[in-house]
Amino acid sequence: MSDAVLHKVSSNKAFEGELIKYKFKSAALGGLDAHFNLYLPANATDNTKVPVLVYLAGLTCTEDNGAQKGSFLGVASSQGIAILFPDTSPRGAGVPGEDDDWDFGTGAGFYLNATKPEYATHYNMLTHITLELPQVIEAARLPIDFKRQSIFGHSMGGHGALTLYLASKTKQYRSASAFSPICNPSKCPWGEKAFRGYLQGGVEEGMQQYDATELISKSKEPVHILIDYGTGDNFYKQGQLLPENFLKAARDVGYDEVQVRVRSHDAYDHSYYFISTFASDHIHFHANFLKA
Amino acid sequence: MSDAVLHKVSSNKAFEGELIKYKFKSAALGGLDAHFNLYLPANATDNTKVPVLVYLAGLTCTEDNGAQKGSFLGVASSQGIAILFPDTSPRGAGVPGEDDDWDFGTGAGFYLNATKPEYATHYNMLTHITLELPQVIEAARLPIDFKRQSIFGHSMGGHGALTLYLASKTKQYRSASAFSPICNPSKCPWGEKAFRGYLQGGVEEGMQQYDATELISKSKEPVHILIDYGTGDNFYKQGQLLPENFLKAARDVGYDEVQVRVRSHDAYDHSYYFISTFASDHIHFHANFLKA
């Protein structure tokens, strides 16, 4: 994978740094073109590598939503932290049905590695984000220090951030945070549909491997987790997010408020207006660990 | 006009305040539905009116672009200033040809009142923004103090901000600022096309009434103007913006750096990444006058 060549698609100066869009042939995604955005703060130079925060976007999104609407770049610039914005799924895999629904298939990769044969060739967002992107970025000699990584995300991307953080045996990420995350996917319609669609073992396989509430209930290591959600979020009200389940599981195994903090915000909804309101909080949270 | 009824289309909590999308039947736009977004900071209450900053967006944009991508809301919240985001043109006027080009017609109203008969019924963005929106918002008893208004914008909207500010005989706006504005439209392709298309008197009529460089050269009053542009902006390089012309005209009639400040920023482009970088500067600039 590491011999993939990055092509610069576009570049925008922002907050003295640079937001660059790249594409490359992704082995993890079955040879399809993959796009990502990388924000490099001005202090990142040929001689100075900077820590990196990975942002995983939600259903229907691409590598652009967080960069354009998240209000992350200014704070990342002032903190000297890069932000990596991957896409949310392979594009153009050609699996029959992958474009039928907005909450499954294209734009909805759920940050897992599919095991059903029809999806297993292309739908490997877990490998794409945890292994492939660091490899291709390092191979391109971009000034990122992948020994200092943290991860955050929104909704499906919040699920991704929590599960990639908690499941990593190599402790790849120093901290995880999430806006309005899907916290217990084996118990909500979005998650059940994704697990049944992508995994041969269905919801049971998903629950074992990709359910943040299940993972935290088995976790024994120190963790650094921040979750924010709004009480005006319709998906929260519909039971798609279930942050209370995650919080209860964390407290039941002894994590305190310093290790797992779950905040409820009156009347905020599921939109990027909510995200941008707490964007600075999240980046400062991760800066504590990335710059330690 | 003031008896138009506002309908709330949507609402999002953001930075403790509320971003509300409204629509109403616009007399200025020939009876078509007009949409706008209004950000109300938390300190705006039934008993406390707040000052307002009008944001005019650029070609192809709607009332959403500035709200979603401008990074304005957090600063407006902390400063206690409302932001009004109008649309950029009437929608669905049905004038033959209005949807043929991205730089004329729908999404490209140029913040003027058309005088060509085929456009004059609907393309009256000047009246819509300076008279109609304040009237319908006051009639709806929203907590905005229109005696404390300033105006800013991007590209075509920067042209709008500068010309509405400079042409207002009632001194409607206390200050004006612009990102990458079209500064001398009678001397650039975008402006010439708009003036020829909307105005019976063509470029000559536009030069007299809607050209910021012409207007500043005839201005004798004290002004408060801030302009930012990037040297990496392709439209700047193509001669669509001409900020040097505006600056020269301002200096020629005696405005100093305090009254007219034009800043060039190395390598920044025409995008919202540029705008968001300097968003806080602009809102603080206007706060000086709105809160005086």
Side-chain angles (χ1 to χ4, degrees):
Chain A
M1 285 185 284
S2 60
D3 57 352
V5 177
L6 288 187
H7 298 279
K8 191 184 278 199
V9 176
S10 64
S11 166
N12 299 91
K13 191 169 176 182
F15 296 93
E16 293 300 308
E18 194 176 6
L19 182 78
I20 314 165
K21 184 184 291 252
Y22 290 101
K23 72 171 180 181
F24 69 101
K25 296 271 178 222
S26 165
L29 305 183
L32 297 171
D33 274 347
H35 290 76
F36 65 90
N37 283 309
L38 181 65
Y39 179 68
L40 288 174
N43 60 312
T45 66
D46 287 348
N47 299 317
T48 309
K49 290 186 174 184
V50 295
V52 61
L53 185 52
V54 181
Y55 177 79
L56 304 182
L59 290 165
T60 77
C61 289
T62 70
E63 71 279 6
D64 289 335
N65 300 67
Q68 293 178 344
K69 299 183 180 176
S71 292
F72 301 134
L73 306 189
V75 193
S77 170
S78 67
Q79 291 295 318
I81 295 170
I83 306 189
L84 172 61
F85 300 93
D87 201 350
T88 58
S89 77
R91 302 279 164 181
V95 182
E98 71 174 348
D99 294 328
D100 291 355
D101 296 337
W102 63 274
D103 56 2
F104 182 78
T106 302
F110 270 84
Y111 305 105
L112 48 71
N113 284 345
T115 51
K116 274 202 175 173
E118 62 269 41
Y119 287 99
T121 306
H122 300 103
Y123 281 75
N124 297 301
M125 292 300 290
L126 171 66
T127 298
H128 176 64
I129 285 158
T130 58
L131 291 175
E132 186 176 50
L133 285 174
Q135 284 180 8
V136 298
I137 290 169
E138 287 203 322
R141 298 175 183 276
L142 292 168
I144 303 294
D145 176 8
F146 282 101
K147 293 191 190 69
R148 290 179 288 161
Q149 277 190 82
S150 287
I151 192 162
F152 70 151
H154 172 230
S155 194
M156 175 184 74
H159 146 77
L162 295 172
T163 55
L164 270 51
Y165 175 69
L166 289 167
S168 168
K169 294 184 180 64
T170 59
K171 299 188 178 304
Q172 181 163 6
Y173 306 104
R174 296 188 177 192
S175 48
S177 76
F179 306 95
S180 329
I182 303 170
C183 289
N184 197 1
S186 60
K187 296 207 163 39
C188 78
W190 278 341
E192 289 168 350
K193 180 173 178 176
F195 291 161
R196 286 200 189 100
Y198 292 128
L199 303 175
Q200 281 204 293
V203 175
E204 182 61 31
E205 183 180 344
M207 183 169 20
Q208 297 303 323
Q209 289 205 59
Y210 301 114
D211 186 311
T213 297
E214 294 292 325
L215 290 168
I216 194 80
S217 74
K218 293 174 212 154
S219 175
K220 296 186 176 73
E221 310 288 331
V223 297
H224 308 294
I225 293 174
L226 170 66
I227 292 174
D228 283 317
Y229 68 95
T231 62
D233 180 332
N234 281 329
F235 298 119
Y236 166 68
K237 294 181 200 171
Q238 291 163 17
Q240 296 280 19
L241 309 183
L242 305 171
E244 295 88 350
N245 293 9
F246 182 83
L247 180 59
K248 180 173 187 308
R251 292 287 177 269
D252 282 351
V253 293
Y255 289 118
D256 65 13
E257 270 192 35
V258 175
Q259 297 201 74
V260 175
R261 190 159 185 201
V262 179
R263 306 189 300 190
S264 159
H265 300 279
D266 183 50
Y268 282 94
D269 60 31
H270 203 71
S271 71
Y272 270 86
Y273 297 115
F274 167 62
I275 296 175
S276 64
T277 301
F278 296 96
S280 177
D281 273 17
H282 281 241
I283 292 176
H284 284 107
F285 168 77
H286 293 291
N288 292 328
F289 309 106
L290 290 172
K291 296 164 80 176
Chain B
M1 285 185 287
S2 60
D3 57 352
V5 177
L6 289 187
H7 298 278
K8 191 184 277 199
V9 176
S10 63
S11 165
N12 299 92
K13 192 169 177 182
F15 296 94
E16 293 299 307
E18 193 176 8
L19 182 77
I20 313 166
K21 184 184 290 250
Y22 290 102
K23 72 171 179 179
F24 69 101
K25 295 272 178 220
S26 165
L29 305 184
L32 297 171
D33 273 347
H35 289 77
F36 65 90
N37 283 308
L38 180 66
Y39 179 69
L40 288 174
N43 60 313
T45 66
D46 288 349
N47 299 315
T48 308
K49 290 186 173 185
V50 296
V52 61
L53 184 51
V54 181
Y55 177 79
L56 304 181
L59 291 165
T60 77
C61 289
T62 71
E63 70 279 6
D64 288 335
N65 300 67
Q68 293 178 343
K69 299 182 182 177
S71 292
F72 301 133
L73 306 189
V75 193
S77 171
S78 67
Q79 292 294 316
I81 296 170
I83 307 188
L84 172 60
F85 300 93
D87 201 351
T88 59
S89 77
R91 303 278 163 180
V95 183
E98 70 174 348
D99 295 327
D100 291 356
D101 296 336
W102 64 274
D103 57 1
F104 182 77
T106 302
F110 270 84
Y111 305 105
L112 48 74
N113 285 345
T115 52
K116 275 202 176 175
E118 62 269 39
Y119 286 99
T121 305
H122 299 102
Y123 280 76
N124 298 301
M125 291 301 290
L126 172 64
T127 298
H128 177 63
I129 286 158
T130 58
L131 293 175
E132 186 175 52
L133 286 174
Q135 284 180 9
V136 299
I137 290 169
E138 288 203 323
R141 298 175 183 275
L142 292 168
I144 302 294
D145 176 9
F146 282 102
K147 293 190 190 68
R148 290 180 286 161
Q149 276 190 83
S150 288
I151 192 162
F152 69 152
H154 172 230
S155 195
M156 175 184 74
H159 146 76
L162 295 172
T163 56
L164 269 50
Y165 175 69
L166 289 167
S168 169
K169 292 181 181 65
T170 59
K171 298 189 178 304
Q172 180 163 6
Y173 306 103
R174 296 188 176 192
S175 49
S177 76
F179 307 94
S180 329
I182 303 170
C183 289
N184 196 0
S186 60
K187 296 207 165 41
C188 79
W190 278 341
E192 290 169 348
K193 180 173 180 176
F195 291 161
R196 287 201 188 101
Y198 292 127
L199 303 175
Q200 280 204 294
V203 175
E204 181 62 29
E205 183 181 344
M207 184 170 16
Q208 296 303 321
Q209 290 204 58
Y210 302 113
D211 186 311
T213 297
E214 295 292 324
L215 291 168
I216 194 81
S217 73
K218 293 173 209 153
S219 174
K220 294 186 177 72
E221 311 288 332
V223 297
H224 307 295
I225 293 175
L226 170 65
I227 292 174
D228 283 316
Y229 67 96
T231 62
D233 180 333
N234 282 329
F235 299 119
Y236 166 69
K237 294 181 199 170
Q238 292 164 14
Q240 297 279 21
L241 309 183
L242 304 171
E244 295 87 352
N245 293 10
F246 183 83
L247 180 59
K248 181 174 186 309
R251 293 286 177 270
D252 283 352
V253 294
Y255 290 118
D256 64 13
E257 270 193 36
V258 176
Q259 296 201 74
V260 175
R261 190 158 187 203
V262 179
R263 306 190 298 191
S264 159
H265 299 279
D266 183 51
Y268 282 95
D269 60 32
H270 203 71
S271 71
Y272 271 86
Y273 296 115
F274 168 61
I275 296 175
S276 64
T277 301
F278 296 96
S280 177
D281 273 18
H282 281 241
I283 292 177
H284 284 106
F285 168 76
H286 293 292
N288 292 327
F289 309 105
L290 289 172
K291 297 165 78 176

